[in-house]
Amino acid sequence: MKLQCTKYLIIFTLLLTACISIYARNLNVSGRVVGKYDGEPMIGASVKAMFADRNDSIVAIADVDGKFTAIVPVNQMLRFQYVGFNDTIAVAKENMLIEMEDGGVWKNPLWIVDDSIVDVDYPEIWYQSPFGDVSLESLVCKAMPVLQEQDIEEVDFFDSTLCINNILINGLCRVRTKPTSIQVIVDGENLGIIEEYPGRLAGKTGAIKYAKNTLMIDSVVDAVAIDSEKLLPTSCVKTKKMLVVTTAEHYPSVAKFGFTPYQYDNGDDYVSDGRYRIVDKDGKIGYATENNAVIISPRFAFGFPFKNGRAKVTDCGHLEEVKGSDGEYHYWVSDNWYWIDKMGNRLEMKK
């Protein structure tokens, strides 16, 4: 009887030791999941524990701030997933900053606006429920900020896969707009009013092409088509739209000012949405075009790259080290972030 009790005691001790050993090897993991280029929280991103012998299992879901917490074994491989973004895999640590990059899974449809092909970056349109609260016109306006609902004559969406010049395109968007009055301003000088279809100025390069090819303006650095009523008080609005053009003569080069490209990923900053970041001798951030013309002089404490015509910036803040990175990784902290357009104007975002 005594021998049998001793046997059970040994087994219990071994099991207890194993449990303590397993518990001791667990790690409290916490961190944030954000977009690589805009720093926006990836709300609802899944955090999965990866296994070689069975399916991955969800251990956490990112909250409205992109934050997550979990208890996983030490050295556990984690997979971070968000719809439309590349999976990111990292070893579990106490404090993690996960930057996810758009995977391009959702192909852009082919946009034809007023019979011109327009390069609009709005792939999510095919995943918008047809019974949702957002109308087709609202979707188009969000894709092409220069347009307003009153500008649109007709919208046709064809949700099908096309093959054009051996390139597969998920769907076709055909938009027709109404003619309207557009005030043309070049380097701050008012050159008069034209009657035009606003759709010809839509897209990332539409306004630039129009200024160069139709208005025959030389050395165009940038052109932005905007809705006048958003920029000016109603009493001052004389036209529905404004086409603001800047030329090389108006903006000096980066080198002339002594600015340098912002260093990112161990090299010069990438061109994103027609802009790249520059810094002055004090480390302030500004923006220049891909042909090195300074559009927004350095004045921001921190600034993210441009995407879809806007960038998130702040005038004050500080750097914080990602814990456990041995000083290799840092992130920006500020309570005063705001958005600017591609000319440096502050945007008032709708709540």
Side-chain angles (χ1 to χ4, degrees), residues 252-324:
S253 68
V254 172
K256 182 176 180 179
F257 272 121
F259 301 144
T260 57
Y262 176 79
Q263 294 302 293
Y264 183 76
D265 277 355
N266 298 318
D268 293 349
D269 192 34
Y270 307 110
V271 175
S272 177
D273 201 5
R275 300 282 188 271
Y276 73 90
R277 290 171 290 181
I278 55 177
V279 294
D280 61 13
K281 59 182 178 61
D282 297 320
K284 295 290 187 180
I285 289 179
Y287 296 86
T289 64
E290 53 189 328
N291 61 351
N292 303 314
V294 178
I295 297 295
I296 306 172
S297 297
R299 65 175 187 266
F300 307 110
F302 306 126
F304 287 95
F306 271 92
K307 186 175 182 181
N308 296 329
R310 64 178 188 170
K312 189 166 72 169
V313 299
T314 184
D315 300 319
C316 59
H318 64 276
L319 282 175
E320 284 195 9
E321 178 184 338
V322 176
K323 294 182 180 179

Side-chain angles (χ1 to χ4, degrees), residues 54-66:
R54 61 184 189 274
N55 293 334
D56 297 350
S57 61
I58 295 179
V59 296
I61 298 293
D63 63 15
V64 293
D65 296 317

Side-chain angles (χ1 to χ4, degrees), residues 2-12:
K2 183 178 181 180
L3 181 62
Q4 187 175 9
C5 290
T6 302
K7 176 181 177 182
Y8 286 135
L9 181 60
I10 293 173
I11 293 174
F12 175 78

Side-chain angles (χ1 to χ4, degrees), residues 83-85 102-111 119-128 139 142-144 157 159 169-171 173 204 307-308:
V83 177
F85 284 69
D102 189 340
V105 176
W106 296 340
K107 300 294 184 182
N108 260 329
L110 179 66
W111 291 81
D119 50 344
V120 175
D121 183 16
Y122 197 70
E124 295 91 339
I125 195 167
W126 300 125
Y127 293 83
Q128 177 70 42
L139 284 172
K142 187 174 181 180
M144 293 171 284
F157 290 179
D159 191 355
I169 300 174
N170 289 0
C173 301
K204 293 180 181 178
K307 186 175 182 181
N308 296 329

